[in-house]
PDB file of all heavy atoms in Angstrom:
ATOM      1  N   GLY Y1098     115.704  94.920 107.180  1.00 98.00           N
ATOM      2  CA  GLY Y1098     115.819  93.786 106.263  1.00 98.00           C
ATOM      3  C   GLY Y1098     114.501  93.219 105.773  1.00 98.00           C
ATOM      4  O   GLY Y1098     114.472  92.528 104.752  1.00 98.00           O
ATOM      5  N   GLY Y1099     113.403  93.487 106.505  1.00 98.00           N
ATOM      6  CA  GLY Y1099     112.120  92.899 106.138  1.00 98.00           C
ATOM      7  C   GLY Y1099     110.979  93.895 106.103  1.00 98.00           C
ATOM      8  O   GLY Y1099     110.401  94.161 105.051  1.00 98.00           O
ATOM      9  N   PHE Y1100     110.643  94.456 107.261  1.00 98.00           N
ATOM     10  CA  PHE Y1100     109.501  95.356 107.383  1.00 98.00           C
ATOM     11  C   PHE Y1100     109.890  96.731 106.832  1.00 98.00           C
ATOM     12  O   PHE Y1100     110.028  97.711 107.535  1.00 98.00           O
ATOM     13  CB  PHE Y1100     109.092  95.466 108.859  1.00 98.00           C
ATOM     14  CG  PHE Y1100     107.690  95.970 109.080  1.00 98.00           C
ATOM     15  CD1 PHE Y1100     106.622  95.101 109.027  1.00 98.00           C
ATOM     16  CD2 PHE Y1100     107.447  97.295 109.372  1.00 98.00           C
ATOM     17  CE1 PHE Y1100     105.321  95.548 109.267  1.00 98.00           C
ATOM     18  CE2 PHE Y1100     106.151  97.762 109.607  1.00 98.00           C
ATOM     19  CZ  PHE Y1100     105.088  96.895 109.553  1.00 98.00           C
ATOM     20  N   GLY Y1101     110.082  96.751 105.596  1.00 97.00           N
ATOM     21  CA  GLY Y1101     110.550  97.924 104.839  1.00 97.00           C
ATOM     22  C   GLY Y1101     110.714  97.472 103.403  1.00 97.00           C
ATOM     23  O   GLY Y1101     109.876  97.786 102.550  1.00 97.00           O
ATOM     24  N   PRO Y1102     111.742  96.685 103.126  1.00 97.00           N
ATOM     25  CA  PRO Y1102     111.922  96.205 101.757  1.00 97.00           C
ATOM     26  C   PRO Y1102     110.736  95.409 101.224  1.00 97.00           C
ATOM     27  O   PRO Y1102     110.312  95.610 100.082  1.00 97.00           O
ATOM     28  CB  PRO Y1102     113.181  95.324 101.868  1.00 97.00           C
ATOM     29  CG  PRO Y1102     113.936  95.895 103.008  1.00 97.00           C
ATOM     30  CD  PRO Y1102     112.908  96.356 103.985  1.00 97.00           C
ATOM     31  N   MET Y1103     110.174  94.518 102.044  1.00 97.00           N
ATOM     32  CA  MET Y1103     109.050  93.709 101.574  1.00 97.00           C
ATOM     33  C   MET Y1103     107.787  94.559 101.422  1.00 97.00           C
ATOM     34  O   MET Y1103     107.044  94.421 100.448  1.00 97.00           O
ATOM     35  CB  MET Y1103     108.787  92.540 102.521  1.00 97.00           C
ATOM     36  CG  MET Y1103     109.907  91.522 102.594  1.00 97.00           C
ATOM     37  SD  MET Y1103     110.263  90.721 100.997  1.00 97.00           S
ATOM     38  CE  MET Y1103     111.743  91.603 100.487  1.00 97.00           C
ATOM     39  N   LEU Y1104     107.562  95.467 102.368  1.00 97.00           N
ATOM     40  CA  LEU Y1104     106.409  96.352 102.267  1.00 97.00           C
ATOM     41  C   LEU Y1104     106.563  97.290 101.077  1.00 97.00           C
ATOM     42  O   LEU Y1104     105.586  97.635 100.403  1.00 97.00           O
ATOM     43  CB  LEU Y1104     106.220  97.139 103.565  1.00 97.00           C
ATOM     44  CG  LEU Y1104     105.425  96.419 104.669  1.00 97.00           C
ATOM     45  CD1 LEU Y1104     106.047  95.078 105.065  1.00 97.00           C
ATOM     46  CD2 LEU Y1104     105.286  97.318 105.901  1.00 97.00           C
ATOM     47  N   GLY Y1105     107.791  97.701 100.815  1.00 96.00           N
ATOM     48  CA  GLY Y1105     108.052  98.550  99.657  1.00 96.00           C
ATOM     49  C   GLY Y1105     107.721  97.848  98.351  1.00 96.00           C
ATOM     50  O   GLY Y1105     107.207  98.458  97.404  1.00 96.00           O
ATOM     51  N   GLN Y1106     108.004  96.549  98.285  1.00 96.00           N
ATOM     52  CA  GLN Y1106     107.641  95.783  97.092  1.00 96.00           C
ATOM     53  C   GLN Y1106     106.121  95.689  96.950  1.00 96.00           C
ATOM     54  O   GLN Y1106     105.574  95.751  95.838  1.00 96.00           O
ATOM     55  CB  GLN Y1106     108.263  94.385  97.156  1.00 96.00           C
ATOM     56  CG  GLN Y1106     109.772  94.365  97.039  1.00 96.00           C
ATOM     57  CD  GLN Y1106     110.270  94.855  95.698  1.00 96.00           C
ATOM     58  OE1 GLN Y1106     109.613  94.686  94.674  1.00 96.00           O
ATOM     59  NE2 GLN Y1106     111.433  95.490  95.686  1.00 96.00           N
ATOM     60  N   THR Y1107     105.430  95.543  98.086  1.00 96.00           N
ATOM     61  CA  THR Y1107     103.966  95.538  98.042  1.00 96.00           C
ATOM     62  C   THR Y1107     103.450  96.865  97.508  1.00 96.00           C
ATOM     63  O   THR Y1107     102.544  96.907  96.660  1.00 96.00           O
ATOM     64  CB  THR Y1107     103.386  95.257  99.441  1.00 96.00           C
ATOM     65  OG1 THR Y1107     103.851  93.978  99.880  1.00 96.00           O
ATOM     66  CG2 THR Y1107     101.873  95.250  99.417  1.00 96.00           C
ATOM     67  N   HIS Y1108     104.024  97.991  98.011  1.00 90.00           N
ATOM     68  CA  HIS Y1108     103.658  99.313  97.476  1.00 90.00           C
ATOM     69  C   HIS Y1108     103.772  99.315  95.963  1.00 90.00           C
ATOM     70  O   HIS Y1108     102.871  99.758  95.246  1.00 90.00           O
ATOM     71  CB  HIS Y1108     104.599 100.401  98.000  1.00 90.00           C
ATOM     72  CG  HIS Y1108     104.470 100.703  99.449  1.00 90.00           C
ATOM     73  ND1 HIS Y1108     105.286 101.623 100.077  1.00 90.00           N
ATOM     74  CD2 HIS Y1108     103.628 100.241 100.395  1.00 90.00           C
ATOM     75  CE1 HIS Y1108     104.943 101.700 101.346  1.00 90.00           C
ATOM     76  NE2 HIS Y1108     103.949 100.870 101.568  1.00 90.00           N
ATOM     77  N   ARG Y1124     102.830  87.230  96.316  1.00 97.00           N
ATOM     78  CA  ARG Y1124     104.081  86.937  97.021  1.00 97.00           C
ATOM     79  C   ARG Y1124     104.385  88.001  98.072  1.00 97.00           C
ATOM     80  O   ARG Y1124     104.637  87.692  99.238  1.00 97.00           O
ATOM     81  CB  ARG Y1124     105.235  86.838  96.023  1.00 97.00           C
ATOM     82  CG  ARG Y1124     106.614  86.699  96.670  1.00 97.00           C
ATOM     83  CD  ARG Y1124     107.709  86.638  95.608  1.00 97.00           C
ATOM     84  NE  ARG Y1124     109.033  86.704  96.191  1.00 97.00           N
ATOM     85  CZ  ARG Y1124     109.686  85.676  96.715  1.00 97.00           C
ATOM     86  NH1 ARG Y1124     109.118  84.486  96.744  1.00 97.00           N
ATOM     87  NH2 ARG Y1124     110.899  85.831  97.209  1.00 97.00           N
ATOM     88  N   PHE Y1125     104.365  89.260  97.660  1.00 97.00           N
ATOM     89  CA  PHE Y1125     104.756  90.320  98.586  1.00 97.00           C
ATOM     90  C   PHE Y1125     103.642  90.671  99.563  1.00 97.00           C
ATOM     91  O   PHE Y1125     103.923  91.044 100.708  1.00 97.00           O
ATOM     92  CB  PHE Y1125     105.252  91.531  97.804  1.00 97.00           C
ATOM     93  CG  PHE Y1125     106.553  91.276  97.103  1.00 97.00           C
ATOM     94  CD1 PHE Y1125     106.623  91.206  95.717  1.00 97.00           C
ATOM     95  CD2 PHE Y1125     107.713  91.054  97.832  1.00 97.00           C
ATOM     96  CE1 PHE Y1125     107.818  90.941  95.076  1.00 97.00           C
ATOM     97  CE2 PHE Y1125     108.918  90.788  97.203  1.00 97.00           C
ATOM     98  CZ  PHE Y1125     108.974  90.726  95.825  1.00 97.00           C
ATOM     99  N   SER Y1126     102.387  90.534  99.157  1.00 97.00           N
ATOM    100  CA  SER Y1126     101.283  90.759 100.087  1.00 97.00           C
ATOM    101  C   SER Y1126     101.282  89.707 101.191  1.00 97.00           C
ATOM    102  O   SER Y1126     101.055  90.024 102.367  1.00 97.00           O
ATOM    103  CB  SER Y1126      99.947  90.769  99.348  1.00 97.00           C
ATOM    104  OG  SER Y1126      99.863  91.858  98.452  1.00 97.00           O
ATOM    105  N   GLU Y1128     103.891  88.052 102.298  1.00 98.00           N
ATOM    106  CA  GLU Y1128     105.035  88.314 103.175  1.00 98.00           C
ATOM    107  C   GLU Y1128     104.782  89.527 104.059  1.00 98.00           C
ATOM    108  O   GLU Y1128     105.164  89.547 105.243  1.00 98.00           O
ATOM    109  CB  GLU Y1128     106.306  88.508 102.348  1.00 98.00           C
ATOM    110  CG  GLU Y1128     107.549  88.824 103.154  1.00 98.00           C
ATOM    111  CD  GLU Y1128     107.983  87.718 104.109  1.00 98.00           C
ATOM    112  OE1 GLU Y1128     107.346  86.648 104.149  1.00 98.00           O
ATOM    113  OE2 GLU Y1128     108.971  87.936 104.830  1.00 98.00           O
ATOM    114  N   THR Y1129     104.110  90.541 103.522  1.00 98.00           N
ATOM    115  CA  THR Y1129     103.751  91.706 104.325  1.00 98.00           C
ATOM    116  C   THR Y1129     102.846  91.304 105.484  1.00 98.00           C
ATOM    117  O   THR Y1129     103.064  91.707 106.635  1.00 98.00           O
ATOM    118  CB  THR Y1129     103.069  92.761 103.438  1.00 98.00           C
ATOM    119  OG1 THR Y1129     104.038  93.302 102.533  1.00 98.00           O
ATOM    120  CG2 THR Y1129     102.460  93.874 104.264  1.00 98.00           C
ATOM    121  N   LEU Y1132     104.826  89.533 108.150  1.00 98.00           N
ATOM    122  CA  LEU Y1132     105.638  90.444 108.951  1.00 98.00           C
ATOM    123  C   LEU Y1132     104.795  91.220 109.962  1.00 98.00           C
ATOM    124  O   LEU Y1132     105.227  91.437 111.097  1.00 98.00           O
ATOM    125  CB  LEU Y1132     106.395  91.404 108.026  1.00 98.00           C
ATOM    126  CG  LEU Y1132     107.532  90.756 107.241  1.00 98.00           C
ATOM    127  CD1 LEU Y1132     107.961  91.660 106.085  1.00 98.00           C
ATOM    128  CD2 LEU Y1132     108.719  90.435 108.141  1.00 98.00           C
TER     129      LEU Y1132
END
Side-chain angles (χ1 to χ4, degrees):
F1100 199 84
M1103 295 299 102
L1104 275 57
Q1106 292 296 329
T1107 300
H1108 291 177
R1124 173 181 172 82
F1125 292 111
S1126 295
E1128 178 63 2
T1129 291
L1132 288 164

